[in-house]
Amino acid sequence: MATMRVVQISRPNGSFEIVERQIPEPGSGSVRIRVQACGICHSDSLTKEGHYPGIQYPRVPGHEVAGVIAAVGSDIAGWQPGQRVGVGWNGGYCGHCDYCRRGEFFACVTHQVTGITYDGGYAEYMIAPSSAVALMPAELPAAEAAPLMCAGVTTFNALRNAGARPGDTVAILGLGGLGHLGVQYSAKMGFRTVGIARGKEKEPLARQLGASVYIDSEAQDPAAELLKLGGAKVILATATSGEAMSAVQGGLAVNGTLLIVGAAPSMQVSPVFLLSGCRSIKGWYSGTSIDSQDTLAFSARTGVRPMNEMFPLERASEAYDRMMSGKARFRVVLTIEP
Ligand SMILES: [Zn+2]
Ligand SMILES: [Zn+2]
């Protein structure tokens, strides 16, 4: 019987274990993917530490998956072996619950999450429902596509749904794993892009990624600086600091939106400032497989790419620690040799 290597966690806070498993067969409505690369996301800590409600072990983490369809199960339409594909955080949806019937697939009551409710991409092969699968363009290498399946789609899909039009001022708060992609997407979408981060030393990077204005939030008041530009139509908050979000909200233009994708525990808001300018604060969920597919296609066409540090699958533990250290520039990606 053919076997594969996977990296699993067998209990909350357990270590990463490299184990041999039988290569699984795809069931009805599912495909088997030969994984070529898998990004390591901070949310993988939910699997590692056991903080996701109801998670069962052993579990293979990984929801930034890029690879090739190796086999399809029964009742599959539109997918075939050999297609290059990605799988992200959204692990598929049922298509018949009330949310799905309203087109809100991300809110599906089945709550399938790749690498959490079923085994993910720290592996040579994985099984995914076809509703979780995104087509990956031929010109995008797997290791570059992988982080786009979470960090990429989160920022791309948030920005394209934020209400800004080409020429509007859009600020990206934070210049890390999400923010370095957010700046690129914002610039390529035609927004006047403002990068906001701590320290003067990040300015060259922000400008290289496409920001036309840089605000050093340590030396300047970011809200005041944004108001000098006429205010931001959208501020995409990628940092996980509630204080940083509170400090920047005053830079919103009339009808502007602070769009939050960074998971800060809390922030302060000014109700008078919101209501007096019809401003809003809104959260944004990442996206489903078709949003990821759009993200990959847009990135391939426009040259948006993540900056990655690469590790082979066997060094998953070291790679995870590197991601958790916060020092990686900017995404950590596991590569899997065939
Ligand atoms: Zn993620
Ligand atoms: Zn559903």
Side-chain angles (χ1 to χ4, degrees):
M1 188 59 75
T3 61
M4 63 174 184
R5 290 174 307 154
V6 307
V7 177
Q8 70 178 27
I9 299 289
S10 54
R11 61 188 157 75
N13 280 315
S15 54
F16 290 96
E17 305 161 358
I18 301 180
V19 297
E20 294 270 334
R21 286 192 194 172
Q22 201 174 311
I23 295 177
E25 289 303 322
S28 174
S30 294
V31 301
R32 182 171 72 226
I33 296 167
R34 179 167 63 77
V35 182
Q36 296 171 311
C38 184
I40 297 185
C41 179
H42 194 272
S43 303
D44 294 349
S45 62
L46 296 169
T47 303
K48 175 78 162 70
E49 293 164 16
H51 291 150
Y52 196 88
I55 187 169
Q56 294 182 353
Y57 292 92
R59 182 61 72 225
V60 177
H63 60 266
E64 291 188 348
V65 185
V68 177
I69 293 182
V72 300
S74 57
D75 299 319
I76 290 286
W79 298 103
Q80 57 208 30
Q83 283 177 314
R84 305 182 74 234
V85 294
V87 182
W89 171 264
N90 186 285
Y93 43 84
C94 74
H96 51 76
C97 73
D98 284 357
Y99 291 113
C100 286
R101 290 169 64 203
R102 291 191 173 100
E104 307 282 14
F105 299 105
F106 77 92
C108 177
V109 297
T110 61
H111 295 301
Q112 299 173 81
V113 183
T114 313
I116 291 183
T117 63
Y118 61 81
D119 286 335
Y122 291 22
E124 291 179 319
Y125 291 92
M126 68 167 285
I127 301 289
S130 62
S131 58
V133 173
L135 204 56
M136 178 164 67
E139 61 270 36
L140 207 54
E144 294 189 356
L148 302 180
M149 296 303 300
C150 181
V153 63
T154 297
T155 48
F156 172 82
N157 202 33
L159 283 170
R160 71 172 177 170
N161 285 289
R165 298 189 299 179
D168 284 347
T169 299
V170 170
I172 311 296
L173 174 63
L175 207 53
L178 290 171
H180 89 291
L181 289 164
V183 169
Q184 293 179 69
Y185 285 126
S186 174
K188 295 293 185 186
M189 287 177 185
F191 305 135
R192 179 195 196 190
T193 300
V194 181
I196 306 173
R198 284 182 301 178
K200 189 77 183 158
E201 68 281 3
K202 290 188 179 150
E203 176 164 359
L205 173 71
R207 292 193 180 277
Q208 179 200 329
L209 295 171
S212 52
V213 179
Y214 178 76
I215 298 172
D216 170 6
S217 61
E218 278 175 343
Q220 298 164 290
D221 173 354
E225 293 302 315
L226 287 174
L227 290 180
K228 284 184 201 166
L229 302 171
K233 178 72 180 180
V234 171
I235 302 172
L236 182 68
T238 71
T240 51
S241 159
E243 293 85 63
M245 293 180 197
S246 305
V248 85
Q249 64 176 316
L252 284 174
V254 164
N255 287 314
T257 302
L258 175 65
L259 196 58
I260 296 175
V261 295
S266 66
M267 68 170 288
Q268 286 210 313
V269 304
S270 166
V272 172
F273 183 68
L274 292 181
L275 66 87
S276 62
C278 287
R279 301 175 180 90
S280 43
I281 298 178
K282 184 175 162 70
W284 189 265
Y285 173 89
S286 176
T288 59
S289 55
I290 193 63
D291 299 310
S292 297
Q293 187 165 315
D294 291 347
T295 303
L296 295 177
F298 183 91
S299 306
R301 271 185 225 120
T302 61
V304 173
R305 295 289 187 278
M307 294 181 179
N308 296 335
E309 295 183 8
M310 318 276 256
F311 291 79
L313 181 66
E314 309 76 76
R315 287 166 63 198
S317 181
E318 185 190 335
Y320 176 84
D321 289 345
R322 176 70 180 156
M323 181 280 300
M324 290 299 279
S325 77
K327 293 182 183 139
R329 289 173 66 90
F330 286 92
R331 301 299 286 187
V332 177
V333 177
L334 297 174
T335 54
I336 295 112
E337 295 299 322

